[in-house]
Amino acid sequence: LHYLSIFRCCSFSLRLTMVNTLHLLALLGCISTMCQPLKIRGKRMNVLFIANDDLRPMIKALDPEKYGYMHTPNLDKFTKDSLVLTNSHVQQAVCSPSRTSLLFGRRPDTTKIYDLQTNTRDVGCKDCVTIPGLFTEAGYFTVGMGKIFHDGTASNFSDPQSWSDLNGTTTYKNYFMGEHRYFNQSWLSVDEDKTGQCRDSQVRDHAVSWLRNLSKSDGDQPWFVAVGFRKPHLSFASPRRFFDLYPANQTRLVDNPYAPTDMPEIAYASYELQNFPDVEATGFKGQINETLVDWKAKEEVRAYQAGVSYTDYNIGVVLDELKALGHWNDTIIVFWGDHGYKLGHHGAWCKHTNFQTDTNTPLMIRIPGLTDGGMKSNALVEHVDIMATLVEAAGLEKVQTCPENKPWTVRRCTEGQSFLKLFENPNAAWKNASYSQYPRGGTKNPYMGYSMTTDKNLRFTAWVDFDGHTNTTTFSMHGSKCGFELYDHKTDPAENVNLAYRSEHKQTVDKLFAQLKAGWRATAGGLPT
């Protein structure tokens, strides 16, 4: 069957395979129109939207020299069918703020979400449309399962208004989370035959069922299926066979288990792991330059690796099912993590900082006919950009940039930019900086660490005074904990030495602080057309 493999009708070069004359005429006829939806055999593209929790870029194909010991065959294979964004950064390295920013397409100071409990619809973006909401409004059937939004009150239980109405109501019962099995220790090798399925296994099978049901209907209505896997999030509990992939006596520990030289104390955080009794029993408190004892650290690293391989397996099952059902070539696939993770790096564990290890996380996107064979880009992109990119790729109505004044009051807008240009040329000139942030000090004495990774391989962070009532800053630095960080990734990719207080870098600090103050809007304004 001759068919149009893929086409777009604006700002994009055309790539065609097996195009017959009628299809070509139809294509030429659309060039004079606005962007039209990507179509296969006359039907709009489906979307498979896969989320992952706490995933550092610990995937063999991303860095075979560094991660050659990792067992990630399915994600390795997916890199050969997708655009891999190796330099993508989240806007705040903790679950709810990061996911809220990505899904609402707006930055934390607009969503006003910096914690794990507050719902942006209660404090800012009451009527804002999310990524799944945009597809619902565009006529897609949308369904989610697992962890997409952050759980519980932070999203009113997965933001029911974002999804298609399944049973005549938009309530939590329509959203499948899987049965939670709580393990009161930091890691566990699970025998699923005895305990029952782990939560991610339940979500995996639920996703397969949904794909089969949607394939049976196979009408004209396209679908958007979101699947959220939790591992390798704590606790590191995964089926036993994934632990067996990593012999305990071969576990590697990091080579920088110490805080960066001249780091301001406010930059550091290491909590969450010691909340588990087995870690607490070691006496680990998460203080600066305190290290978890080696034997326990090796247990945690091995269990984390098992969690990565468990998620790789689950993703492989879902992708294989998509292929078996004949939807591999009519489905856009997005795979993203909500932030990175420290495994003893700088002596710290988990996330909660502006370090590269926390803000950088995998992002891969497949567009059939366009990313076949795989491509890789080191261009700076941000997870807040995913909304604009996916909307443009699917041919939905463009989402305009939010206004600077009260952006949370505009229902349909974004503070990200589409990076679809990188699918045409992964090495194209793009953003000169990406932006992240992290709060400290609570409500009584708040600070905000605004951080920027530049296209010159520098990371610069300013810890400034912050008004927690208005969620704004003047970038003043009167507080006793204020400070700067500057790391040169060319000579110090692990961020072990803070250069900000060295006299020879004063001009660089001044220049970068001015760029940081100008912010993402200045970066967006300088993007090539």
Side-chain angles (χ1 to χ4, degrees):
L1 176 65
H2 290 271
Y3 64 92
L4 177 63
S5 169
I6 187 168
F7 70 85
R8 295 190 66 255
C9 294
C10 57
S11 68
F12 213 10
S13 64
L14 306 175
R15 294 182 58 171
L16 308 174
T17 60
M18 302 175 65
V19 182
N20 64 22
T21 303
L22 291 176
H23 284 133
L24 182 58
L25 290 174
L27 175 65
L28 293 175
C30 86
I31 290 177
S32 61
T33 68
M34 297 294 288
C35 287
Q36 300 296 318
L38 286 168
K39 294 182 179 180
I40 296 291
R41 303 185 185 95
K43 180 182 175 181
R44 288 183 292 173
M45 284 279 205
N46 303 309
V47 177
L48 178 59
F49 193 70
I50 303 176
N52 195 225
D53 210 341
D54 284 14
L55 182 65
R56 50 187 287 107
M58 210 166 175
I59 297 166
K60 183 176 181 178
L62 297 187
D63 192 340
E65 184 176 344
K66 187 175 183 180
Y67 296 125
Y69 59 89
M70 289 298 297
H71 294 266
T72 52
N74 297 292
L75 287 170
D76 293 345
K77 187 189 302 183
F78 189 58
T79 65
K80 299 176 182 178
D81 283 306
S82 62
L83 172 63
V84 180
L85 289 309
T86 61
N87 205 4
S88 183
H89 295 267
V90 302
Q91 278 41 78
Q92 187 179 322
V94 68
C95 301
S96 186
S98 174
R99 289 169 182 261
T100 301
S101 176
L102 186 158
L103 291 162
F104 282 80
R106 312 183 194 215
R107 297 171 191 269
D109 286 348
T110 294
T111 66
K112 303 177 183 175
I113 299 303
Y114 312 103
D115 61 33
L116 301 180
Q117 296 80 36
T118 308
N119 186 342
T120 187
R121 297 201 182 279
D122 295 332
V123 297
C125 292
K126 179 180 180 181
D127 298 315
C128 301
V129 186
T130 64
I131 290 177
L134 289 169
F135 281 85
T136 302
E137 292 185 356
Y140 278 65
F141 178 82
T142 60
V143 62
M145 60 212 72
K147 188 176 179 181
I148 302 298
F149 292 87
H150 191 65
D151 302 348
T153 59
S155 61
N156 189 24
F157 302 98
S158 298
D159 203 55
Q161 68 200 72
S162 285
W163 310 97
S164 293
D165 189 346
L166 304 187
N167 301 319
T169 59
T170 52
T171 61
Y172 181 54
K173 67 182 179 182
N174 293 329
Y175 194 95
F176 183 82
M177 297 298 293
E179 183 182 352
H180 180 41
R181 305 187 192 286
Y182 178 71
F183 302 105
N184 192 30
Q185 58 191 73
S186 62
W187 68 272
L188 183 67
S189 176
V190 180
D191 184 346
E192 288 189 299
D193 291 333
K194 293 182 179 179
T195 66
Q197 282 189 317
C198 293
R199 206 174 194 182
D200 276 359
S201 298
Q202 299 170 51
V203 170
R204 174 198 68 216
D205 292 350
H206 194 74
V208 167
S209 295
W210 262 112
L211 291 175
R212 289 174 180 173
N213 290 336
L214 291 168
S215 184
K216 288 177 183 177
S217 63
D218 209 21
D220 292 333
Q221 185 182 24
W223 46 258
F224 176 106
V225 174
V227 185
F229 293 115
R230 293 175 182 271
K231 298 307 166 186
H233 191 287
L234 284 166
S235 63
F236 302 143
S238 302
R240 181 173 300 162
R241 60 181 166 138
F242 299 105
F243 280 81
D244 293 342
L245 296 172
Y246 301 99
N249 62 359
Q250 296 179 18
T251 303
R252 310 177 185 187
L253 297 182
V254 300
D255 57 7
N256 65 334
Y258 45 80
T261 301
D262 296 329
M263 176 201 74
E265 290 189 6
I266 195 171
Y268 194 85
S270 183
Y271 48 89
E272 189 177 356
L273 182 66
Q274 58 266 37
N275 292 336
F276 290 88
D278 57 315
V279 178
E280 183 183 25
T282 69
F284 181 70
K285 306 281 186 191
Q287 302 299 314
I288 295 176
N289 284 326
E290 175 193 14
T291 56
L292 184 63
V293 291
D294 280 1
W295 67 267
K296 190 60 177 172
K298 288 181 177 181
E299 284 188 353
E300 303 300 339
V301 171
R302 179 180 179 234
Y304 181 91
Q305 292 170 179
V308 173
S309 292
Y310 176 35
T311 284
D312 176 84
Y313 171 79
N314 289 332
I315 290 172
V317 170
V318 173
L319 295 184
D320 286 347
E321 188 65 27
L322 189 74
K323 293 176 183 177
L325 294 170
H327 287 299
W328 185 248
N329 289 320
D330 65 12
T331 303
I332 297 170
I333 303 171
V334 183
F335 169 65
W336 55 274
D338 61 355
H339 46 71
Y341 208 78
K342 295 185 295 297
L343 294 171
H345 301 81
H346 301 310
W349 293 81
C350 306
K351 51 268 190 184
H352 313 114
T353 77
N354 283 320
F355 290 126
Q356 173 89 359
T357 51
D358 288 357
T359 67
N360 180 228
T361 189
L363 176 58
M364 307 179 196
I365 302 177
R366 167 174 164 77
I367 301 179
L370 192 62
T371 58
D372 299 345
M375 54 184 73
K376 186 179 291 187
S377 176
N378 193 46
L380 282 166
V381 297
E382 303 173 88
H383 276 38
V384 73
D385 297 331
I386 292 174
M387 171 182 278
T389 305
L390 183 55
V391 163
E392 187 178 3
L396 275 59
E397 178 187 352
K398 182 179 179 180
V399 182
Q400 300 296 330
T401 300
C402 295
E404 191 165 2
N405 185 36
K406 297 183 178 180
W408 52 87
T409 63
V410 179
R411 182 175 179 274
R412 193 180 192 277
C413 71
T414 182
E415 293 176 335
Q417 289 75 42
S418 171
F419 52 81
L420 207 61
K421 179 179 180 179
L422 297 177
F423 288 81
E424 186 179 15
N425 178 8
N427 298 315
W430 197 234
K431 289 187 175 183
N432 65 2
S434 65
Y435 298 86
S436 304
Q437 61 188 95
Y438 211 96
R440 291 278 191 263
T443 57
K444 292 184 178 180
N445 188 27
Y447 296 86
M448 186 65 73
Y450 288 99
S451 192
M452 179 175 68
T453 299
T454 77
D455 60 352
K456 305 301 182 185
N457 291 303
L458 299 173
R459 174 177 282 276
F460 175 74
T461 303
W463 293 93
V464 300
D465 303 316
F466 189 72
D467 188 331
H469 299 290
T470 62
N471 299 304
T472 59
T473 183
T474 62
F475 287 94
S476 65
M477 302 184 71
H478 302 307
S480 61
K481 295 183 180 180
C482 291
F484 290 123
E485 296 174 80
L486 173 62
Y487 304 101
D488 186 340
H489 289 169
K490 289 181 181 178
T491 59
D492 181 24
E495 300 182 337
N496 292 325
V497 180
N498 178 20
L499 303 173
Y501 298 105
R502 301 192 178 187
S503 58
E504 63 268 30
H505 295 287
K506 184 181 185 306
Q507 288 186 342
T508 300
V509 168
D510 291 343
K511 180 180 177 180
L512 291 174
F513 196 24
Q515 183 179 349
L516 185 68
K517 291 176 184 179
W520 68 268
R521 290 185 185 273
T523 289
L527 286 176
T529 57

